[in-house]
Amino acid sequence: MRTSRLEAFSDGVLAIIITIMVLELKVPEDHDLAGLLHTTGVGLLTYLLSFVYVGIYWNNHHHMFHLVRQVSGGVLWANLALLFCLSLFPFTTAWMDESRFEPTPVVMYGLNLLAAAITYFGLQTVIIRQQGPESPLRQAVGSDLKGKISPAFYLAGILSALAIDRSGRIGVWIALACFVGTAIMWIIPDRRIDRVVRQHGTAD
Amino acid sequence: MRTSRLEAFSDGVLAIIITIMVLELKVPEDHDLAGLLHTTGVGLLTYLLSFVYVGIYWNNHHHMFHLVRQVSGGVLWANLALLFCLSLFPFTTAWMDESRFEPTPVVMYGLNLLAAAITYFGLQTVIIRQQGPESPLRQAVGSDLKGKISPAFYLAGILSALAIDRSGRIGVWIALACFVGTAIMWIIPDRRIDRVVRQHGTAD
Amino acid sequence: MRTSRLEAFSDGVLAIIITIMVLELKVPEDHDLAGLLHTTGVGLLTYLLSFVYVGIYWNNHHHMFHLVRQVSGGVLWANLALLFCLSLFPFTTAWMDESRFEPTPVVMYGLNLLAAAITYFGLQTVIIRQQGPESPLRQAVGSDLKGKISPAFYLAGILSALAIDRSGRIGVWIALACFVGTAIMWIIPDRRIDRVVRQHGTAD
Amino acid sequence: MRTSRLEAFSDGVLAIIITIMVLELKVPEDHDLAGLLHTTGVGLLTYLLSFVYVGIYWNNHHHMFHLVRQVSGGVLWANLALLFCLSLFPFTTAWMDESRFEPTPVVMYGLNLLAAAITYFGLQTVIIRQQGPESPLRQAVGSDLKGKISPAFYLAGILSALAIDRSGRIGVWIALACFVGTAIMWIIPDRRIDRVVRQHGTAD
């Protein structure tokens, strides 16, 4: 099985996820700047954060499949598991925004980020196992420092938001800082795969 | 006519169906775990079930068209009939979820599964007829045990949900068990087509 | 300019149009068959009609671009005009359905069908003019009987729905019969283009 | 990295943006022409304007990537920044329409146009820098008169809408004239790139 149709389907799903989140932005009832800031001021930033995260996943997915030539049934399902987690972003984003960053919705958003990271790692693992001992993806991923740090950051964010009783509002801000910081870390493109692609040639 | 554009269009429709179902997940008004479980706890599982079913159809569609080289008008319309049935999933899923598994919505969900299975079988039949006596798809499908068992399971589920007057709530649970069980049966990828693809080569 | 990206974009837009119409199907508040028939019984048939129409346009678009090798700026805009008209179907379908076939919404639905037919004809004309005197599309289209009959049917439907004061409810039924009848006429695939494709070879 | 998947993803996002705007068109509660004009008469024209703008961006994006062979991480993110700005059109369009052209929403619509123009210019700059001194895109763009005039028009529109206290309603009409006029200017396809494509050959 070639990868082209899996990539096309994933591109379609990711394009829809990244775009329908904007449907959650409520149109302000007041037609002035105060109405906009009150109704959608925060929402816009939350939307931007989720947009960036889906963009990161598309980016990494894109890079990863440059090193994949063939797709097995296991890869198809691992990919669908990742897409399922990503498809929940419009929901968790809307809840976090509507609650104005109450602890529970922030924790759920963090769990969503965590679930996406885990299923992405699962997809990577399934592909590496399928490629066997000479797997170019394994070489490209290397020690996978960023992939290991991110869940730790998400977990730290979740825990500090959960510790709200003791920390008060500050726990939520630490959580958001973790989520935003990890996104910034990922915006820098993954040069490891670029390097391996140059050595091995792409799968196309 | 080549299959590429039919596949691209089907991928687009399936990607949208699988993603817009998440729009039906209502954001809880309470911002705690109880609110989430009360408002969307069940909905999340229902969404997962429909997500898996659309994933299964994409998967099988993907496999099937590996053995198709040319597309006739009949295939185009048989494919659109399948897409129509699948496009009703967001509606039947939302109704079943909002009713908290009342018998009638569960029956409708089962009928939707049944209609999708029948139109998929119709598409398969149209392709086999077009390919003629040496049809590689016919060889790949073989006795098509899973394809014949599934409608039987859906029908069993529908009937037990209909028998609510006598069986009480238990009929609905049997129906759901049938729908979930059939999904699990299909997650295991179809090795028959993989085998035939390896023998015949793909249509690309 | 090659046609591939124009086809991909059009496929995307058509896939979304055909699928988001299902979002207009309201989930019944009553959880029994009466509730379903009352709330969405008519809607389902209306949805099916619009689904078939978008399917017909995708089908014909697909066939037409088999005979197109190059795309000019004029073709891009003629194509966007067609997509704009088709993108109004979810709106006119929802209005016609919610009004339970009041004359004005039925007329608007007919005008939408008419506008789509005219812009499709415009796209065809722009392509034929670009291809010059030996245009394979012109030969394929021939006398274009179906393309000329359809607007006449739509117009007849619009006029009979407009004559409601004199004809009463019957004008609306004639209009719907015109719209359904034209759809059935188009489901039969266009063999003329198939023939020319076989003679000329496709543009791929 | 090849451009094909970036183009496919962008096509998907643009196709969704251009189509979901129709979801904002509210179905009139009255089922006559007065109800339609009252509820959606203005909305239809606003939708058309945004449809044309997204069409223009797709068109130019399409043309631009004909001259791009390889995609770096910087191009991916510059492209996502453009898509983010474009994804806000359904929101700003809906607000401008629902407010019946109150000054603040009109200003926001203008800012959205401005942001899209700036990120498009950013994407162009990133690609030219990546292509180096012999950049075919730089030659194609040339003095980029239209690209420089457009932001000036948007800015003029924003300023006149802001000057509402002194100018009254007329400031908003000048702003809308600026936005509509710039769109008309862009509908005429960009012959510069066509010319360079003919000289250099496409990147495909």
Side-chain angles (χ1 to χ4, degrees), chain C residues 108-154:
Chain C
M108 290 308 302
Y109 190 81
L111 286 173
N112 199 353
L113 286 173
L114 193 60
I118 290 169
T119 48
Y120 186 86
F121 183 77
L123 175 59
Q124 194 175 281
T125 308
V126 169
I127 291 172
I128 288 175
R129 198 171 300 162
Q130 181 198 290
Q131 288 184 336
E134 298 282 306
S135 162
L137 183 58
R138 186 200 291 276
Q139 294 170 46
V141 165
S143 64
D144 196 14
L145 198 65
K146 275 207 268 187
K148 277 167 189 152
I149 288 175
S150 307
F153 270 103
Y154 300 147

Side-chain angles (χ1 to χ4, degrees), chain A residues 69-193:
Chain A
R69 257 170 242 271
Q70 289 212 315
V71 168
S72 66
V75 172
L76 287 176
W77 283 106
N79 189 55
L80 276 171
L82 172 63
L83 293 179
F84 179 75
C85 291
L86 295 175
S87 81
L88 294 175
F89 271 118
F91 170 73
T92 51
T93 304
W95 199 31
M96 185 167 79
D97 174 44
E98 282 192 20
S99 79
R100 301 277 152 143
F101 305 109
E102 285 289 315
T104 310
V106 170
V107 167
M108 290 309 300
Y109 190 81
L111 287 173
N112 199 351
L113 286 173
L114 193 62
I118 289 169
T119 48
Y120 186 85
F121 183 77
L123 175 58
Q124 193 175 282
T125 307
V126 169
I127 292 172
I128 287 175
R129 198 171 299 161
Q130 182 197 289
Q131 289 184 336
E134 298 281 306
S135 162
L137 182 58
R138 185 201 293 274
Q139 294 170 45
V141 166
S143 65
D144 196 15
L145 199 64
K146 277 208 266 186
K148 278 168 189 152
I149 287 175
S150 306
F153 270 103
Y154 301 146
L155 214 60
I158 292 166
L159 291 174
S160 53
L162 277 174
I164 187 79
D165 294 330
R166 281 176 230 145
S167 63
R169 201 71 187 163
I170 223 172
V172 168
W173 295 122
I174 294 174
L176 291 175
C178 288
F179 303 160
V180 172
T182 315
I184 291 170
M185 185 181 83
W186 276 105
I187 287 179
I188 305 154
D190 209 325
R191 297 194 189 286
R192 294 167 307 177
I193 285 184

Side-chain angles (χ1 to χ4, degrees), chain B residues 16 21-22 39 42 67 72 107 111 116 125:
Chain B
I16 297 156
M21 281 187 296
V22 83
T39 317
V42 182
L67 294 173
S72 67
V107 168
L111 286 173
T125 308

Side-chain angles (χ1 to χ4, degrees), chain D residues 64-80:
Chain D
M64 184 159 69
F65 274 86
H66 264 95
L67 294 172
V68 180
R69 258 170 240 270
Q70 288 213 313
V71 167
S72 66
V75 172
L76 288 176
W77 283 106
N79 189 56
L80 276 172

Side-chain angles (χ1 to χ4, degrees), chain D residues 114-132:
Chain D
L114 193 62
I118 289 170
T119 48
Y120 186 86
F121 183 77
L123 175 58
Q124 194 175 280
T125 308
V126 169
I127 292 173
I128 288 175
R129 197 171 300 161
Q130 182 198 291
Q131 288 184 336

Side-chain angles (χ1 to χ4, degrees), chain A residues 91 95 104 108, chain B residues 26 28 30-42 44:
Chain A
F91 170 73
W95 199 31
T104 310
M108 290 309 300
Chain B
K26 298 283 176 302
D30 295 329
H31 302 138
D32 49 18
L33 207 60
L36 180 71
L37 290 178
H38 183 74
T39 317
T40 35
V42 182
L44 214 65

Side-chain angles (χ1 to χ4, degrees), chain A residues 7 10-11 14-16 18-19 22-23 25-28 30-33 36 40 44 47-48 51-52 55-56 58-59 61-63 65-66 187 189 194 197 204, chain D residues 1-2 4-6 8-9 12-13 16-17 20 23-24 73-74 76-77 79-81 83-85 87-91 94-95 98-100 102-105 108:
Chain A
E7 291 180 68
S10 305
D11 281 355
L14 290 172
I16 297 156
I18 214 169
T19 320
V22 84
L23 292 176
L25 287 179
K26 296 284 174 303
V27 171
D30 296 329
H31 301 136
D32 49 17
L33 208 59
L36 181 70
T40 36
L44 215 64
Y47 173 49
L48 178 60
F51 190 98
V52 167
I56 288 166
W58 176 73
N59 218 326
H61 194 271
H62 181 118
H63 275 73
F65 274 86
H66 264 94
I187 287 179
D194 282 347
V197 165
D204 296 341
Chain D
M1 300 277 153
R2 305 282 303 284
S4 57
R5 214 178 147 189
L6 182 141
F9 182 71
V13 171
I16 297 157
I17 293 170
I20 61 173
L23 291 177
E24 306 285 354
L76 288 176
W77 283 106
N79 189 56
L80 276 172
L83 294 179
F84 179 75
C85 291
S87 81
L88 293 175
F89 271 118
F91 170 73
W95 198 30
E98 282 192 20
S99 79
R100 299 276 154 145
E102 284 290 314
T104 310
M108 290 308 302

